[in-house]
Amino acid sequence: MKLLRILFLILAISAFNNLNAQDNVLTSYNIFDLQFVTETAISPDGKMIAYVLFAPRPFTDDPGTDYRHLYVYDIASGKSNAIITDKGTLFSLQWSPDSKSILFRSVRGDVKTMQVYQINASGGTPKALTSWDQSISQFQLSPDGKILAFVSTDGQVQRKKDLLARGFDAEIYEEEWLHLNLYLQDINSKEPRKLTSSITVFDFAWSPDGKQILAQLAERNLVDDSYMFKRIYVIDPKTGAKTKVVDNPGKLSNIAWSPDNKHIAFVAGVDITDPVSGSLFIADVTNPKPFNELRNYSLGFIGSVDAITWKDAKTVVYSSEEGVDKTLREQTIDGKESKLVIEGGKVVFGNFSYNNGIAAFSGNTPVHPGELYTYNFQNGELKKLTDHNPWLSGIKLAKQEKITYKARDGLEIEAVLMYPLNFEEGKRYPLIAYIHGGPEAAEQNGWNTNYGKWGQVAAAKDYFGFFPNYRSSSGRGVEFSKLGFGDLAAGEFDDVIDGIDYLIDKGCVDGKKVGIGGGSYGGYFAAWGATKHTERFAAAVCFVGIGNQISKRNTTDIPYEDYYVHWGIWTYENYELVYDRSPVKYAHLSKTPTLVLHGKEDPRVHPSQGLEVYRALKVHGSAPVRLIWYPGQGHGNSKNTSRLDYAVRTMEWFDYYLKSDKPKDKMPDKYIDFIIDVE
């Protein structure tokens, strides 16, 4: 048996190599060779950049999450040094004030909880700075480097511990949560001092002078509170006294101190119904004002602000989504308009770090995943510093571009369009519409290939890839993001249909060979397309998607977010409308072969939603349907084997129904012959 297994592995590797070598295209398998930069942090002296490299877990290792390695880029020499490359993960990079060491969170060795570690910038063995019983969710070193502040819980109450010790392990749903407390610990001590209690700390930041701590606080440590009910406070690190400085009415994301300790910049929603925390505000902490008296610096801005920092005491630097592009801008406190620093179309990036006139970030383009980039504010130079995927230079990649089209009501919609690799003018091709989740999210004109997004893998098989930013998406301003409020899957989905028709009318897409897929809200749209609009889709992939809005609203962990920013009503107020926007209502119409996939531990969209879609289609539809459970996975897959299964299985589903001549009343083999060793 062992000999046969070895022989199979040899044959599989040979087949894998041949597959990869054939035409030098990207496959579902070698996307798991992609490495990309995630976090960045510039040293205080401006000479080095620490960054985290996402490294795929080899399938020869035990199944699990991917690895995250630590590198340091030396700006003078232009070289990257690998500091930590073991089989682990690390997060939350921060430099020591003297630029000699790097702090991070990690689970290491025999310690099973996430703790704070410190390592010399030149390498060595990480040193544990904390030994807390519970995992640490956030930390930050004080400006003078003497005090480590971190957020964690106290652990289970004694009565719960006693019950567990006696074998009574009943869980009391949403009543056993513990506050995330803020603790202060002398950097040379192991005895933290508890600074907060009876309130949860979701985020915090030391003031530059170390005399205050800015914090996002909420009454409970529940997911809905983290979405909707965080408010901004200043905490005295000596006494723990809390003062509310901003009573924002809805969503809240990034916060940042000005260098002179006088102002804070923050990103928030404009009101309780704003689905996107995407507007920039600045508040004077020495003279707090009501939220409605603060200036919204994004008023009229056709975009969504995300990451922020301060360039100087009068100037905020921020990145933003603007349609399918990402930009970097500056805004002075008294300035009428922002200044464009990095224009759209150059590079797509997320959070960035800033120091000494240099911004560092992970940037991606249509032909390359995230690498380390810098932008020099003095000379305007944008530089790509690393290349962790040199093998991609030998891979043929398809053309990708931004497109705009008019929806049926005249609204302009933006999308990313990826062409078939071997595209020929005048020829029609199958199309896969990839629908993003949220819906308060946006597709960018950058790297669009990963385990859950078919991108270049589908293009190599000569599919069009269509990535629409339908109404309700972020990146187009507050008004645009609110267009789906109380009217889910109506105009939103029409935008998808209208984009597909736009491409059909151009003569490049075969209208009889259109597939649709996505996760979360994208999975909802896939199920909606397979039922309500079944005549338009020849195949659908519904991942962690919604099937029944009535039961979904009663099982999700974000019922208030769903109410405030999406529906505006509770189900009992208009039962018929809520059910009308549920794919299961139209399952009897379905003629679309549908693949349903769901994590069995999903808290956001309960796994029963996948079951409802499957059962309704199985009983009432007239097309093949299959349900795949992923044990141990939540709202998206984190385990490498589950990710590979998803990538291969979904692509095979589209190939079977959109490209093959096989009988459409049948299904692909339920078992996949993986061409790698996954045991």
Side-chain angles (χ1 to χ4, degrees):
M1 180 63 72
K2 185 175 181 180
L3 180 61
L4 288 174
R5 184 168 176 269
I6 293 173
L7 179 60
F8 170 76
L9 179 58
I10 292 172
L11 292 172
I13 292 174
S14 177
F16 179 47
N17 290 335
N18 289 335
L19 181 64
N20 284 339
Q22 181 182 1
D23 298 326
N24 295 321
V25 299
L26 207 63
T27 72
S28 296
Y29 290 90
N30 58 20
I31 62 173
F32 290 87
D33 295 326
L34 292 170
Q35 301 183 80
F36 51 88
V37 174
T38 55
E39 299 179 42
T40 67
I42 304 178
S43 61
D45 62 12
K47 296 180 180 180
M48 294 172 285
I49 306 171
Y51 66 93
V52 173
L53 184 71
F54 174 96
R57 176 188 288 257
F59 290 100
T60 50
D61 288 358
D62 291 337
T65 58
D66 296 299
Y67 304 134
R68 291 165 64 96
H69 298 158
L70 176 62
Y71 283 73
V72 171
Y73 181 87
D74 183 88
I75 294 177
S77 68
K79 294 181 179 180
S80 283
N81 297 314
I83 305 300
I84 299 176
T85 58
D86 56 15
K87 296 180 179 181
T89 60
L90 51 91
F91 307 87
S92 310
L93 301 183
Q94 185 185 347
W95 284 90
S96 60
D98 60 8
S99 298
K100 293 182 179 180
S101 62
I102 303 161
L103 285 71
F104 58 90
R105 292 186 304 124
S106 183
V107 177
R108 310 192 67 78
D110 296 331
V111 180
K112 304 303 181 184
T113 55
M114 186 80 69
Q115 300 298 315
V116 180
Y117 292 84
Q118 185 175 27
I119 190 170
N120 192 287
S122 60
T125 302
K127 170 189 174 184
L129 296 183
T130 60
S131 56
W132 197 240
D133 290 341
Q134 309 300 312
S135 285
I136 291 172
S137 59
Q138 289 191 19
F139 78 92
Q140 191 176 48
L141 200 59
S142 61
D144 61 7
K146 296 180 179 180
I147 304 295
L148 181 70
F150 67 85
V151 172
S152 186
T153 65
D154 285 336
Q156 293 167 333
V157 297
Q158 191 59 47
R159 287 185 65 188
K160 180 67 175 181
K161 291 180 181 179
D162 293 341
L163 287 168
L164 288 172
R166 296 166 58 195
F168 295 97
D169 57 359
E171 298 178 4
I172 302 96
Y173 185 65
E174 288 192 347
E175 291 189 44
E176 293 188 300
W177 57 267
L178 300 167
H179 278 299
L180 288 168
N181 301 309
L182 183 61
Y183 300 84
L184 301 184
Q185 174 183 303
D186 185 281
I187 196 68
N188 297 315
S189 169
K190 295 295 183 181
E191 297 299 327
R193 173 170 64 91
K194 187 175 180 180
L195 192 64
T196 65
S197 60
S198 303
I199 199 162
T200 278
V201 181
F202 280 114
D203 194 10
F204 75 95
W206 283 98
S207 61
D209 61 8
K211 295 180 179 180
Q212 299 179 92
I213 295 176
L214 189 66
Q216 298 185 23
L217 307 183
E219 292 184 0
R220 302 178 304 173
N221 180 20
L222 292 176
V223 177
D224 238 349
D225 293 71
S226 72
Y227 270 70
M228 299 303 302
F229 306 124
K230 296 180 296 187
R231 303 297 180 256
I232 303 177
Y233 288 74
V234 167
I235 303 174
D236 185 326
K238 292 182 179 179
T239 65
K242 301 181 292 292
T243 303
K244 184 185 290 187
V245 292
V246 179
D247 192 14
N248 52 291
K251 290 188 174 181
L252 172 68
S253 47
N254 294 313
I255 54 176
W257 280 100
S258 63
D260 61 2
N261 309 286
K262 294 180 180 179
H263 294 89
I264 59 169
F266 64 95
V267 182
V270 299
D271 54 38
I272 192 68
T273 66
D274 192 345
V276 180
S277 178
S279 294
L280 174 65
F281 298 87
I282 297 175
D284 185 343
V285 292
T286 64
N287 182 28
K289 295 181 179 180
F291 181 81
N292 60 8
E293 294 183 16
L294 296 178
R295 176 182 170 186
N296 179 358
Y297 288 82
S298 302
L299 194 64
F301 177 51
I302 308 303
S304 300
V305 179
D306 43 37
I308 57 172
T309 191
W310 288 81
K311 181 181 179 182
D312 53 51
K314 299 294 183 181
T315 310
V316 175
V317 177
Y318 66 88
S319 60
S320 59
E321 297 174 328
E322 297 187 38
V324 299
D325 295 320
K326 291 297 289 288
T327 63
L328 193 69
R329 292 178 175 271
E330 291 182 6
Q331 175 68 60
T332 59
I333 294 177
D334 299 324
K336 292 183 178 180
E337 296 181 350
S338 65
K339 173 187 175 183
L340 184 62
V341 177
I342 300 179
E343 64 184 12
K346 296 289 187 181
V347 63
V348 172
F349 55 93
N351 288 348
F352 62 95
S353 55
Y354 175 87
N355 220 326
N356 294 308
I358 301 291
F361 51 86
S362 170
N364 67 83
T365 69
V367 296
H368 208 95
E371 296 287 354
L372 179 63
Y373 279 75
T374 57
Y375 177 80
N376 188 311
F377 281 78
Q378 292 181 335
N379 59 26
E381 185 179 27
L382 177 67
K383 292 181 66 175
K384 175 173 172 283
L385 304 181
T386 62
D387 182 6
H388 287 283
N389 299 279
W391 60 275
L392 269 179
S393 62
I395 298 294
K396 296 179 182 178
L397 297 174
K399 174 185 174 182
Q400 178 177 300
E401 65 183 11
K402 166 187 174 179
I403 64 170
T404 59
Y405 60 91
K406 289 290 182 67
R408 63 193 66 183
D409 62 358
L411 185 66
E412 188 174 85
I413 303 298
E414 294 187 4
V416 174
L417 182 67
M418 190 178 292
Y419 283 70
L421 183 61
N422 302 299
F423 175 73
E424 296 178 17
E425 198 73 46
K427 184 178 178 180
R428 291 185 182 270
Y429 295 86
L431 175 143
I432 299 174
Y434 173 83
I435 313 300
H436 68 69
E440 56 272 24
E443 292 300 314
Q444 266 91 48
N445 190 21
W447 183 256
N448 281 309
T449 309
N450 54 45
Y451 93 89
K453 192 182 288 190
W454 303 282
Q456 292 287 349
V457 173
K461 293 171 174 282
D462 282 338
Y463 289 93
F464 268 103
F466 175 55
F467 307 80
N469 284 339
Y470 51 92
R471 69 190 68 197
S472 299
S473 299
S474 59
R476 290 282 298 279
V478 175
E479 182 180 352
F480 188 88
S481 67
K482 287 188 175 186
L483 287 176
F485 183 73
D487 199 22
L488 284 69
E492 298 172 337
F493 199 84
D494 288 342
D495 293 345
V496 176
I497 295 292
D498 294 343
I500 294 170
D501 283 342
Y502 167 79
L503 296 171
I504 292 173
D505 292 343
K506 287 188 68 174
C508 56
V509 167
D510 185 342
K512 295 181 179 179
K513 295 182 179 180
V514 175
I516 185 170
S520 194
Y521 209 79
Y524 170 43
F525 266 30
W528 189 247
T531 54
K532 176 74 170 179
H533 298 272
T534 185
E535 74 282 355
R536 300 305 307 266
F537 299 100
V541 168
C542 172
F543 184 41
V544 294
I546 302 162
N548 186 338
Q549 286 285 3
I550 293 175
S551 54
K552 181 263 182 180
R553 299 187 71 186
N554 290 329
T555 53
T556 184
D557 61 352
I558 50 171
Y560 283 99
E561 194 268 352
D562 200 33
Y563 167 74
Y564 282 118
V565 308
H566 296 306
W567 283 102
I569 59 169
W570 294 111
T571 300
Y572 71 84
E573 296 177 282
N574 196 336
Y575 184 95
E576 291 77 13
L577 174 63
V578 177
Y579 186 56
D580 182 67
R581 302 308 162 86
S582 302
V584 295
K585 178 181 177 180
Y586 304 98
H588 63 285
L589 303 175
S590 183
K591 298 178 182 179
T592 304
T594 303
L595 178 62
V596 183
L597 313 97
H598 220 112
K600 292 187 75 174
E601 314 301 328
D602 188 350
R604 188 68 27 81
V605 178
H606 195 274
S608 61
Q609 290 298 303
L611 181 58
E612 286 203 44
V613 174
Y614 168 78
R615 188 63 70 202
L617 291 175
K618 187 78 170 178
V619 173
H620 303 296
S622 58
V625 59
R626 173 172 287 158
L627 172 62
I628 305 297
W629 292 125
Y630 290 114
Q633 301 300 285
H635 198 55
N637 292 345
S638 59
K639 190 167 68 172
N640 61 337
T641 48
S642 297
R643 287 185 169 189
L644 179 61
D645 181 275
Y646 180 90
V648 175
R649 187 182 299 279
T650 54
M651 197 69 252
E652 286 186 354
W653 191 266
F654 285 128
D655 285 346
Y656 188 95
Y657 293 107
L658 301 183
K659 299 198 72 173
S660 78
D661 295 326
K662 295 178 181 179
K664 299 305 185 273
D665 60 341
K666 306 296 182 184
M667 290 190 285
D669 192 339
K670 60 181 176 288
Y671 296 118
I672 297 174
D673 291 326
F674 292 104
I675 57 174
I676 58 174
D677 184 15
V678 295
E679 294 186 15

